Amino acid sequence: MFDWIQNIADWLIYGILGMKAKSHLAEALNFFIYDSSKILILLFIVIFFMGIVNSYFPIDKVKNYLSRNKLYGLEYLVASLFGVVTPFCSCSSVPLFIGFVRGGIPLGVTFAFLITSPLVNEVAIGLFVGLFGIKITILYILSGVLLGTISGFILQKLNLEPLLTPWVKEVLANAQREQDKFYKEKQPFIKRLPVIWNEVMNILRGIIPYVIVGIAIGGFMHGYIPEGFFQQYMNKENLFAVPIATVLAVPMYSNASGILPIVQVLVAKGIPLGTAIAFMMGVVGLSLPEAMLLKKVMSLKLIGIFFGVVTLCIILSGYLFNIIL
Amino acid sequence: MTRSIKILGTGCPKCKTMSNLVHDVVKENSIDATIEKIEDIMEIMTFNVMSTPALVIDDIITIKGRIPSKEEVLELLK
């Protein structure tokens, strides 16, 4: 599927630049051009596709749906699935939280959405396809959805409403299964396209530097770290590897775009995939800046429980990946 | 008539971009408008938006959750 990129890279390096094949530098450059082109193309496709879905499926629609329908236990899964197709920036997490709670959506269901949405986003999916292939990507999406569903379910059972901040409790008391009117954009596709296109370009412009630097560092490490180097420290038998990787990752707030290419190299050099995915989920799904924002609506104790439950679920899925892969 | 523009956002980079853009549009086209930036989350919630940044013109939510183009903002202010 990507042979043509390889041809272009070959032509550029060996033809235009006249570098000798087999030299280390030429091969590294060739790999870099091939890898970054492939990943950028995949990112573009996934982000564009998600932009279209999102344009027809705004968050208000999601909220109204969850608020209106009785789903008999499936609401956690549905909220989690909505999280996949509805990207949101972490600064929207508080308005989103309040909006859901005010619509009478249970706390646990709201959490399910809040967990999956950042975890399985268009950028992560695009990068996963480019770096690890389709099979691993699907596994990642499935486990992200399950993670949100299960964590949301557990959080609901813990009866955490008393731990919300007072003004949110007030909102909760006045909650009703109301249908917010929202200004539906009834526009034909052709009119939506420029808006979607702008968003795609904005997102890409924001992540391209990280992706390029990440791939460059990855490429460098590729050449210098010996094959299987990490195996001795972080093999599957080492039971502490997954929890340590996850706990290290939670306070980190990076663009998945910069870290993923590096993680891919680590996997190639012997770190088990489950451990690496647990690390990724910790980085992407939970972050300190998000915790700071959530302080407006939750007590510290509740944030602690929320992060604790999600961290635990991430660790479990890391083990699960290591067992089945 | 003076238009009233409100920008809702908790201070994330996207919200700042939106704010600068709206200021530019108003200035470049000499539009008679007041621009107010609302950063307090409780006040934002009274507008019933779930994704920021949001652009409110004369108390009507026009754009939410994304950064508009200059042309789009100008169109809305006409």
Side-chain angles (χ1 to χ4, degrees), chain A residues 91-92 95 293, chain B residues 8-12 15 37-41 44 52:
Chain A
C91 40
S92 284
L293 284 169
Chain B
L8 318 181
T10 41
C12 57
C15 312
K37 181 119 198 293
I38 298 176
E39 295 194 346
D40 181 61
I41 182 69
I44 291 176
T52 55

Side-chain angles (χ1 to χ4, degrees), chain A residues 104-120:
Chain A
I105 297 170
L107 210 53
V109 179
T110 307
F111 273 126
F113 181 90
L114 271 181
I115 293 164
T116 309
S117 188
L119 206 56
V120 188

Side-chain angles (χ1 to χ4, degrees), chain A residues 59-60 63 89 91-92 94-96 98-100 102 167 178 180 182-183 185 195 198-199 202 293 296, chain B residues 10 12-15 40-42 44-46 48-53 60-61 64-67 69 72:
Chain A
I59 185 69
D60 310 72
K63 198 215 90 180
C89 105
C91 40
S92 284
V94 169
L96 201 123
I98 299 296
F100 271 45
R102 184 156 57 195
W167 74 280
E178 56 176 45
D180 285 339
F182 61 94
Y183 302 89
E185 294 186 40
V195 176
N198 273 341
E199 269 300 296
N202 275 336
L293 284 169
K296 286 249 165 67
Chain B
T10 41
C12 57
K14 271 191 179 180
C15 312
D40 181 61
I41 182 69
M42 297 196 204
I44 291 176
M45 287 323 296
T46 59
N48 237 337
V49 292
M50 286 199 293
S51 46
T52 55
I60 294 172
I61 302 160
K64 49 189 168 179
R66 63 184 174 86
I67 301 165
S69 67
E72 212 182 339

Side-chain angles (χ1 to χ4, degrees), chain A residues 88-152:
Chain A
F88 81 106
C89 105
S90 67
C91 40
S92 284
S93 53
V94 169
L96 201 123
F97 184 84
I98 299 296
F100 271 45
V101 169
R102 184 156 57 195
I105 297 170
L107 210 53
V109 179
T110 307
F111 273 126
F113 181 90
L114 271 181
I115 293 164
T116 309
S117 188
L119 206 56
V120 188
N121 62 61
E122 68 275 31
V123 176
I125 294 176
L127 285 166
F128 255 89
V129 176
L131 293 164
F132 296 102
I134 292 280
K135 205 183 111 195
I136 305 275
T137 308
I138 291 173
L139 260 169
Y140 177 79
I141 296 174
L142 283 180
S143 57
V145 170
L146 276 180
L147 198 91
T149 309
I150 294 167
S151 307

